[in-house]
Structures are given as C-alpha cells and as structure tokens.
Amino acid sequence: MATSLAGLDREAIGALVAELGEPSYRAGQLFDWVQKKSAPDYASMTNLPKAMRAKLGERIPVRGSSIRQRHPSDDGTVKLLLDLHDGETVECVLIPEGDRRTACISTQVGCGVGCVFCASGADGVIRNLDAGEIVEQVHWLQDEAGDRLTNIVVMGMGEPLHNVGALVAGLQLLQHPDGIDLGSRRITVSTSGPSRGFAEFLDSGSKVKLAISLHAAVDRL
C-alpha cells in the first residue's frame, strides 16, 4: 500500500479522484502537480478546489517523508537524511557537476548484502522502501537543485534488485511522459549482481542502464 501520493500511478490517482466524487480530469491535474511540478503539499495545488484538497489531505499525504538533516558540501553536493513515515531514515544525495544535476537515491533502509567496505549494510536490511519513498527522494533533491534534474543513479542505501517491485514502479513514475519524463539513458541502477531479483528486473522491460559492481580482489572471484 502506498504511503504517499508520490507513489501512486495515473490509474490509482484516477481511482482516488473517483472515490472523492470529483470529475476525471482532476486526476491529470493531480498527477501533474505531484510528478511533474514536484509539489510538496496540497496547498501548492492552486487549480484544485479547496474542498478537494482538504479531502485528499485526510486520505494520504503528498509526500510521506520529511528532511531531518541537510548536509551541504563546498563542491555543491548536498546530502539529505530523510525521516520516513515509520520513523526510519534514508539518505539521498544531489551531485552537481557542470551542466549535470544527478540524484543519487536509495531503495532500502539498510542493506542485506554485507559488503565489508560499505557502512550501509553494517546492521543488515531493516525494510524495503515503497515506490513513493523512492520517488520522493528525487523530488526532494529536485527542490534542492532548483531546476530539472538531468540524471538519476540508484546507488544509495540498499541492493536495488532485492526490492525490484518498488524499484520498477518508482522508475516508471519518474519516466512517465506526464511527469519528470527522464530518459532511460539518464538513469543507472547499480547492483552487486544477486541472482534473486536479477531476472525479474530484466523481464520487467525497464530499459535503464545497469551497472554491476565487481568488488573482489581478483578477476576470477
């Protein structure tokens, strides 16, 4: 179940609008506000009736996360620590470089792979993120950038292919033509290459770049 409006696709938003007794065209307006304009709250959605916004606010938040800590660096990089709806936290990073503005996002709270050089998996995996929690990281970082993001790398906390369902759903929202509409070549998913989830990801039809992290001391391993 989605914990925020940011995790709902067009069909689900349409169903929500219908439940509220609103005309169907409101679904397109709502999706536009959330996914394309990256509205942080219902108050920003000025072309929607106040009564509708109030009813939506009682049902589901636009974003279920909030910024706990913001860590800017001298080179323009900004790391955000986000509070999730259940009190867990996750990190995401804005990386500016020339004309590029890259969002580095996470897919899990913690990680179960256990690479010895990585602090993210020190305590194992706590839980998977849902699609909305993945998408919201991009929206928070776009707020930080103050402009359209040019790239997304799924290289933050967690092993993406251990959370394939939410990963694919989140990427579909980020690539939706009525949303941020980021091209496949501008999105890279980094994985340690686990057999679990690998075939499922390839069968999903997602055409983003896939980077496999090879971290043994010798080529044979």
Side-chain angles (χ1 to χ4, degrees):
M1 181 178 179
T3 55
S4 68
L5 200 66
L8 298 183
D9 59 20
R10 280 292 299 267
E11 184 178 8
I13 286 182
L16 177 60
V17 167
E19 287 177 17
L20 297 177
E22 298 290 340
S24 59
Y25 71 86
R26 294 295 187 194
Q29 292 177 317
L30 193 54
F31 190 87
D32 179 74
W33 276 113
V34 177
Q35 297 299 341
K36 187 172 187 175
K37 296 176 180 172
S38 191
D41 51 43
Y42 291 111
S44 307
M45 304 178 186
T46 51
N47 63 344
L48 299 181
K50 286 185 178 180
M52 178 184 174
R53 286 182 272 166
K55 288 187 288 186
L56 284 167
E58 294 172 357
R59 292 282 191 99
I60 188 170
V62 178
R63 299 180 189 175
S65 59
S66 59
I67 298 175
R68 176 187 288 193
Q69 295 178 7
R70 179 180 180 274
H71 299 282
S73 178
D74 291 341
D75 64 0
T77 299
V78 180
K79 181 168 70 174
L80 301 179
L81 179 67
L82 302 181
D83 274 324
L84 305 178
H85 69 94
D86 58 357
E88 298 295 345
T89 59
V90 71
E91 291 182 340
C92 57
V93 184
L94 172 66
I95 308 169
E97 183 181 2
D99 294 333
R100 293 165 61 101
R101 292 171 298 283
T102 300
C104 178
I105 61 175
S106 302
T107 54
Q108 295 180 306
V109 179
C111 184
V113 176
C115 302
V116 295
F117 57 83
C118 181
S120 297
D123 297 322
V125 63
I126 297 173
R127 71 168 176 85
N128 288 333
L129 301 184
D130 65 32
E133 291 169 329
I134 293 172
V135 170
E136 286 172 37
Q137 295 173 67
V138 175
H139 290 172
W140 285 119
L141 294 174
Q142 186 156 274
D143 293 348
E144 286 289 329
D147 200 353
R148 177 181 168 86
L149 296 170
T150 62
N151 298 80
I152 295 173
V153 292
V154 187
M155 297 182 180
M157 296 170 62
E159 166 49 60
L161 300 192
H162 285 171
N163 189 18
V164 175
L167 170 67
V168 171
L171 293 180
Q172 287 175 342
L173 286 168
L174 293 168
Q175 293 183 276
H176 197 284
D178 295 331
I180 292 176
D181 191 22
L182 206 60
S184 298
R185 293 184 178 182
R186 294 190 175 274
I187 300 176
T188 301
V189 174
S190 178
T191 173
S192 61
S195 56
R196 175 165 66 92
F198 205 94
E200 184 181 351
F201 180 76
L202 295 179
D203 290 343
S204 72
S206 181
K207 299 185 184 300
V208 301
K209 293 181 180 179
L210 190 64
I212 302 176
S213 175
L214 303 178
H215 48 259
V218 296
D219 289 343
R220 181 177 59 80
L221 292 178

